[in-house]
Amino acid sequence: MKRAVVTGATSFIGVHLVNRLILEGWKVYAVARKGSRRVALLPLNEQIEIVYLDMEEYSKLGESIKEACDVFVSLAWDGTRGIDRSDSEKQKQNYKYSMEALKAAKEIGCKRMISAGSQAEYGPMQEKVNELSVCKPNTEYGIWKLKYYQDGMDYARQNGISFKEPRFFSLYGEDDNPQTMVLSILKDMMDNAPCRMTECIQLWDFLYIEDAVDGIFRLMDMQCEDGAYNFGSGDIRPLKEFVMEMYKITGSKSQMLFGAIPYPDTGMVNVCPDISKLQMQTGWNAKTTFADGIQKIIDYIW
């Protein structure tokens, strides 16, 4: 039986990944914050063992996990939304604790490491980006995420460990944060409340959570190149088209107020990931259309 250690196991991605690993027959050490209420979202299964550690305690992973493991998946990161993305000290601590976790994972035998990356590492984007595009992060979150990726890669190379970073752009699905773009607009539509948005002329790419988890699992389980992998669906369209697709599916009577919210002073940003590396290296392709994903959310919540 293969064994994985997953930090951030109660996060949006973490819960779905743990379920997939259990389904595939893996033993999972699910690392959760002490007192986390989201632990209730994890499956009750003999293949899962919950390890209660706060991020500053990640150096103690080896004290809690007594058997050798195969893969370490780093999903924990504090301050990923709002003003916290600009908090230099908080983002620096994320980096520090995540590096300590990598070193602890090596000590318990992990030969593969997966780290959750972000489009924020690239900085503001206008054109389609691939993994060779120059990274120019403009937030503390993006800066420290990129540093963790670079230093994590260096550490892995020096220690003969495989290191891969799925670089996420715009995920959506059940159990996500209700303040995300999709869920907040979807709630307004289901309530027939006015939907206040930007002009929504920027290009976007949405990836359903189960498709993202399938990509992560392939990076964990297959022989493929180390490095960053862009995660997107390949369905790139003006954001307004996605919004109107949601409007049609819900049958909403909401007033659609495009342009009610101005673009930030930094300007409009497009989300256009080139996903060809992931496809070529693993044979992965997104299976869930945006419409099907939205319907799944509606069936789950409403």
Side-chain angles (χ1 to χ4, degrees):
M1 177 182 288
K2 294 181 180 179
R3 303 180 184 92
V5 180
V6 182
T7 63
T10 62
S11 66
F12 174 47
I13 300 172
V15 169
H16 287 269
L17 178 61
V18 168
N19 276 283
R20 173 63 183 270
L21 291 172
I22 296 299
L23 185 65
E24 297 286 348
W26 287 51
K27 169 71 178 289
V28 180
Y29 287 95
V31 184
R33 299 173 192 267
K34 296 172 182 175
S36 171
R37 294 180 180 179
R38 286 182 59 87
V39 166
L41 297 175
L42 295 173
L44 294 174
N45 191 290
E46 62 183 9
Q47 293 167 226
I48 183 172
E49 184 172 327
I50 299 173
V51 178
Y52 288 99
L53 289 174
D54 292 329
M55 287 189 74
E56 59 267 28
E57 301 174 299
Y58 280 178
S59 61
K60 301 177 182 178
L61 275 173
E63 298 176 19
S64 302
I65 301 172
K66 302 299 185 181
E67 61 180 345
C69 295
D70 302 286
V71 183
F72 173 63
V73 184
S74 175
L75 299 178
W77 196 275
D78 194 19
T80 61
R81 300 184 184 278
I83 60 173
D84 285 343
R85 291 167 71 96
S86 299
D87 188 328
S88 178
E89 187 57 34
K90 178 171 287 190
Q91 300 302 333
K92 182 178 180 180
Q93 287 180 342
N94 280 317
Y95 163 82
K96 177 178 181 290
Y97 300 145
S98 296
M99 287 301 298
E100 288 175 354
L102 283 186
K103 295 172 184 177
K106 171 185 173 293
E107 296 306 313
I108 55 177
C110 294
K111 297 299 184 184
R112 290 191 180 189
M113 297 184 176
I114 308 291
S115 170
S118 169
Q119 67 184 64
E121 294 173 60
Y122 289 115
M125 299 167 289
Q126 298 302 329
E127 306 296 330
K128 201 169 191 178
V129 293
N130 62 35
E131 294 81 1
L132 298 179
S133 298
V134 177
C135 291
K136 297 180 180 179
N138 66 340
T139 64
E140 293 297 321
Y141 170 66
I143 290 168
W144 287 100
K145 269 286 188 183
L146 180 61
K147 180 170 175 57
Y148 174 51
Y149 166 67
Q150 293 170 335
D151 291 353
M153 280 287 294
D154 288 343
Y155 177 79
R157 287 193 192 102
Q158 292 166 12
N159 288 277
I161 295 169
S162 172
F163 189 96
K164 301 175 178 67
E165 182 189 78
R167 201 166 272 174
F168 302 113
F169 281 68
S170 194
L171 304 183
Y172 73 105
E174 304 90 324
D175 296 319
D176 199 3
N177 188 310
Q179 296 179 354
T180 58
M181 183 190 309
V182 167
L183 289 191
S184 61
I185 293 176
L186 196 55
K187 183 181 185 304
D188 286 341
M189 287 181 177
M190 296 299 289
D191 292 342
N192 292 315
C195 295
R196 297 172 52 83
M197 296 161 285
T198 66
E199 292 181 59
C200 292
I201 59 175
Q202 61 267 49
L203 296 176
W204 216 262
D205 179 309
F206 287 105
L207 179 63
Y208 184 63
I209 183 62
E210 293 298 342
D211 287 331
V213 164
D214 183 50
I216 298 169
F217 181 74
R218 289 174 186 240
L219 294 182
M220 292 176 65
D221 201 48
M222 296 177 65
Q223 293 294 336
C224 52
E225 287 183 8
D226 285 350
Y229 285 80
N230 287 345
F231 270 55
S233 67
D235 178 15
I236 299 173
R237 297 183 259 157
L239 183 57
K240 189 173 185 178
E241 290 189 17
F242 290 108
V243 173
M244 294 310 297
E245 195 165 0
M246 293 167 62
Y247 187 71
K248 179 180 178 181
I249 292 168
T250 58
S252 177
K253 295 179 175 60
S254 293
Q255 186 179 7
M256 307 302 289
L257 300 175
F258 292 105
I261 298 176
Y263 289 110
D265 293 339
T266 51
M268 183 184 73
V269 174
N270 293 316
V271 173
C272 303
D274 181 336
I275 59 171
S276 56
K277 179 181 177 183
L278 179 62
Q279 292 172 317
M280 290 188 294
Q281 287 287 320
T282 69
W284 175 93
N285 278 291
K287 298 176 182 177
T288 310
T289 66
F290 183 71
D292 287 345
I294 293 300
Q295 189 61 58
K296 289 180 180 183
I297 295 173
I298 292 173
D299 293 344
Y300 179 79
I301 298 177
W302 287 278

